[in-house]
Amino acid sequence: MKKNLIISRIGAVATSVVMIAALAACGNSNSGTGSYTTQPADGTPSTYTGKLPMPDANGIYNNPQPREKLKDGGSATFSLSSAGPDWNYFNVNGNTTYIDTLWSYYMPKLWISNADGSKLTPNPNYITSYDEKTVDGKQTITVTFSPKAKWNDGTDIDWTAVEAAWKVRTENGYTPSSTEGWDQVESVKQGTSAKQAVITMAKPYYPANTFVDIYHPKAASVDTFTKGWIDNPHNEWGAGPYIVDSRSDSQVVFKPNPKWWGNKPKLTTVTYKILENQAEINAFKNGEIDAASVGSKDKLATVHTIKDAQIRRGFGSSTAAYQLNTTKDSLKDIAVRKAFNQALDRSQLVKIVYAGLDWTENTPGSLLVAPYRKGYENNMPKDSGFSTANAKKTLEGAGYTMGSNGYYQKNGKDLSITYTDFSDSATTKAIALAVQKMMKNAGIKLNIDIKGSSEFSTVLNSGNWEIIAMRWQSGSPYGYVGGKQIYGSQSESNVSHAGNASIDSAFEEVPTISDPSKQLSAFNKAEKKALALYGQLPIWSGPTMGVYKKGLANVGPARYLTVLREDVGWMK
């Protein structure tokens, strides 16, 4: 299972990403009449205008259906706000929810999870056995691959694919999104045959199967890893139920992989159109796509006018956060970053984001652990809470003085910060204006820079920004184990650049602890240290919420339940 945390490049961070989940128990259908106290597994009718029911935290709301109830053939069209340019999900520049979604169609998915993430089993299409034990005092992991498993170019999926994954995550010259787990590996060797990989750990890592994955050995050179995937998905290095049939700046089209050895995909064509926020809901209304996110009351109002569709929503597995670029002159001073936190009323932002959506939640105090989860702690500094007066005191204590224009100054310059976001949605603009007003009340000048969704990757990777909004998403409830990925001082994924060796050590200790409760406790201590640097600020969690054409099965929010793309289709 891919545990590493993913940057979600959302136009407005309020907008939910349409996610596809895998099989579970059968759902039930409902009309648009009556009222709902609980959300059906296949969703609430789009024409229902009563108060939408809150989902269960670990509920499955993707119209779960077994394969025998699905039609053979047909097409489905979805949307993304970006696709590339870097198609290498292992690379920091390709580590997005969008590339993760696209990879899930044509790249190996080694692990299958249940909804709450408590059970993780090997995908038998790739792995026939997995064993973890202590040998000569060291944690030793043995993975045996299926004799049928091959890359599309005909190369066997074997121990060399594990060795390549280790190489690109740890050797000099590579720019991996995460080194978690792999940086504690002592060796990767062939086992009883080439189809068996034996991983020996220098330090234990728990749970070990959350980091084990594979990468095509032929793509493992530094040049190929960092540059060779630009605008190129490389079908030949794939090994999944689909292949990329075509791609352009406007869409990506998948067709069944003729070399796939597993269950035949139910859909003959899957298309992802690249759409801006507002264009997406209009495309759904016009019948151009089969699912769309519902992240605002205006979108929800549009959905209520559409027949033969279902609203499906569930608790998400991501957290929206502000990243403060500590390399920029305006944010190098920790007092400024602290004052930004204190001047920000996150509860008001949540009200703007979810206005009219019948959604309530507690403001998160962690980037990686949900507030409703057992063991959760609010890891934000105690004096970081909203207080305009405290924000001013923080700045004045750091030598800033109030100017005649209402903004604090130092060395004759106004305290000015640029806030960058990416969307054409009214919600995104409303949030930006609200933050600007909050900062003005605290004497901080905030300049707003709104760009198109498709520009996010370029701007983020350039580092040419000061404050940016994005989401961190994990495909596993053990995402916190890899906390060093986003908080580590040397991590490519720590775009705030806030960190130090002490914090690195605290996060390095977390995965060495085998007891889950003690492990989470150690994470909480480490995250408290990291958040005290005020480089990252959790804002809200929110739902995965979308509208889907009636009959579309195994698509929608289902927490950590693994999607098997070959099992997505239309009901008979």
Side-chain angles (χ1 to χ4, degrees):
M1 179 178 228
K2 295 169 184 164
K3 170 192 60 59
N4 58 302
L5 302 156
I6 312 167
I7 296 173
S8 182
R9 305 183 178 201
I10 305 171
V13 285
T15 303
S16 305
V17 177
V18 177
M19 303 297 288
I20 299 179
L23 298 178
C26 297
N28 60 310
S29 298
N30 295 275
S31 67
T33 60
S35 61
Y36 292 83
T37 55
T38 59
Q39 181 176 240
D42 63 347
T44 307
S46 56
T47 53
Y48 174 67
T49 56
K51 184 176 181 179
L52 292 172
M54 286 291 290
D56 291 334
N58 289 308
I60 298 171
Y61 303 108
N62 65 343
N63 188 20
Q65 302 292 337
R67 285 178 59 86
E68 58 267 24
K69 290 194 175 183
L70 303 183
K71 297 176 182 178
D72 291 319
S75 63
T77 303
F78 305 105
S79 71
L80 292 173
S81 60
S82 178
D86 193 335
W87 279 71
N88 185 1
Y89 171 75
F90 284 8
N91 190 19
V92 65
N93 293 340
N95 184 232
T96 69
T97 54
Y98 310 123
I99 295 302
D100 185 45
T101 296
L102 298 173
W103 261 40
S104 68
Y105 284 90
Y106 78 110
M107 288 290 176
K109 182 172 284 292
L110 300 188
W111 307 100
I112 297 175
S113 173
N114 61 353
D116 66 5
S118 62
K119 185 178 181 181
L120 198 61
T121 57
N123 184 341
N125 286 314
Y126 302 98
I127 297 174
T128 56
S129 69
Y130 174 87
D131 181 64
E132 185 183 328
K133 59 185 177 182
T134 301
V135 177
D136 297 330
K138 294 183 178 180
Q139 183 185 31
T140 304
I141 303 157
T142 303
V143 183
T144 304
F145 293 100
S146 168
K148 296 180 181 180
K150 294 179 181 292
W151 301 101
N152 289 337
D153 67 357
T155 304
D156 271 338
I157 292 179
D158 59 15
W159 79 276
T160 62
V162 180
E163 182 186 45
W166 177 38
K167 176 181 179 179
V168 302
R169 288 287 182 38
T170 57
E171 293 188 3
N172 291 335
Y174 296 92
T175 53
S177 59
S178 172
T179 63
E180 287 299 309
W182 294 109
D183 57 1
Q184 295 178 203
V185 171
E186 179 179 284
S187 67
V188 176
K189 297 180 179 180
Q190 177 178 316
T192 57
S193 73
K195 278 288 186 177
Q196 187 177 84
V198 178
I199 306 169
T200 301
M201 304 298 292
K203 290 169 60 178
Y205 192 96
Y206 302 100
N209 53 2
T210 61
F211 84 86
V212 175
D213 53 26
I214 57 178
Y215 186 78
H216 201 302
K218 293 180 181 178
S221 72
V222 171
D223 192 61
T224 301
F225 185 87
T226 57
K227 303 175 185 177
W229 295 79
I230 303 300
D231 293 324
N232 191 342
H234 286 292
N235 274 321
E236 73 276 16
W237 297 336
Y242 289 87
I243 57 173
V244 178
D245 185 60
S246 65
R247 57 161 296 278
S248 67
D249 291 339
S250 60
Q251 67 178 25
V252 178
V253 180
F254 293 94
K255 292 289 180 68
N257 183 358
K259 298 181 180 180
W260 174 242
W261 58 92
N263 287 332
K264 182 180 179 180
K266 286 294 182 178
L267 296 171
T268 54
T269 305
V270 178
T271 302
Y272 276 87
K273 292 184 177 293
I274 312 304
L275 298 173
E276 284 286 346
N277 190 284
Q278 188 56 44
E280 181 193 36
I281 194 65
N282 292 334
F284 182 82
K285 183 178 181 180
N286 294 333
E288 298 169 13
I289 58 177
D290 299 312
S293 60
V294 182
S296 70
K297 61 181 179 181
D298 292 336
K299 281 191 173 186
L300 185 59
T302 299
V303 167
H304 288 322
T305 68
I306 302 170
K307 296 181 179 179
D308 297 323
Q310 294 159 309
I311 300 168
R312 302 173 188 172
R313 61 186 198 160
F315 282 83
S317 57
S318 64
T319 300
Y322 283 133
Q323 304 289 319
L324 281 67
N325 190 342
T326 61
T327 67
K328 296 300 181 181
D329 290 341
S330 60
L331 293 168
K332 286 181 178 178
D333 188 344
I334 191 173
V336 174
R337 305 196 300 270
K338 181 178 180 179
F340 177 85
N341 277 249
Q342 292 173 319
L344 192 72
D345 187 349
R346 293 182 293 160
S347 66
Q348 289 302 311
L349 298 185
V350 170
K351 290 179 181 179
I352 295 172
V353 172
Y354 301 122
L357 294 180
D358 300 326
W359 185 265
T360 57
E361 67 173 40
N362 295 322
T363 304
S366 170
L367 283 179
L368 302 178
V369 181
Y372 52 80
R373 178 174 177 166
K374 183 179 180 180
Y376 162 83
E377 293 181 15
N378 185 344
N379 294 328
M380 289 295 295
K382 292 183 179 179
D383 59 351
S384 67
F386 170 61
S387 172
T388 301
N390 285 346
K392 290 182 175 182
K393 289 179 182 178
T394 297
L395 292 174
E396 290 168 3
Y400 290 84
T401 57
M402 181 64 74
S404 59
N405 61 357
Y407 295 114
Y408 279 102
Q409 298 178 340
K410 201 173 192 180
N411 299 324
K413 294 182 179 180
D414 287 345
L415 176 51
S416 178
I417 306 171
T418 298
Y419 173 104
T420 303
D421 211 336
F422 303 82
S423 179
D424 60 352
S425 77
T427 302
T428 295
K429 295 173 183 176
I431 293 169
L433 290 172
V435 174
Q436 185 180 55
K437 186 175 186 300
M438 293 172 192
M439 293 305 116
K440 184 176 182 180
N441 291 341
I444 300 171
K445 185 178 182 179
L446 193 78
N447 306 301
I448 298 174
D449 181 21
I450 302 294
K451 298 180 181 296
S453 299
S454 62
E455 298 179 74
F456 190 93
S457 177
T458 301
V459 174
L460 180 68
N461 295 328
S462 72
N464 188 26
W465 53 272
E466 295 180 359
I467 294 179
I468 210 167
M470 67 186 200
R471 281 186 181 272
W472 284 110
Q473 177 168 320
S474 173
S476 162
Y478 295 100
Y480 66 86
V481 176
K484 188 182 174 185
Q485 179 188 344
I486 63 172
Y487 290 122
S489 61
Q490 303 302 312
S491 173
E492 295 281 354
S493 294
N494 181 0
V495 296
S496 75
H497 304 286
N500 56 51
S502 175
I503 292 173
D504 292 347
S505 296
F507 280 110
E508 287 168 1
E509 179 188 358
V510 176
T512 67
I513 303 170
S514 60
D515 181 272
S517 62
K518 293 180 180 178
Q519 189 180 61
L520 185 52
S521 178
F523 164 79
N524 285 326
K525 292 178 182 178
E527 191 177 41
K528 284 182 173 67
K529 292 182 179 180
L531 292 177
L533 295 183
Y534 296 101
Q536 305 193 53
L537 171 63
I539 325 168
W540 58 76
S541 299
T544 295
M545 181 174 176
V547 59
Y548 305 79
K549 284 188 179 178
K550 189 174 182 179
L552 186 59
N554 304 319
V555 181
R559 288 294 282 153
Y560 298 113
L561 191 67
T562 300
V563 57
L564 294 177
R565 299 305 199 195
E566 60 266 37
D567 296 336
V568 171
W570 297 96
M571 294 179 66
K572 292 179 179 178

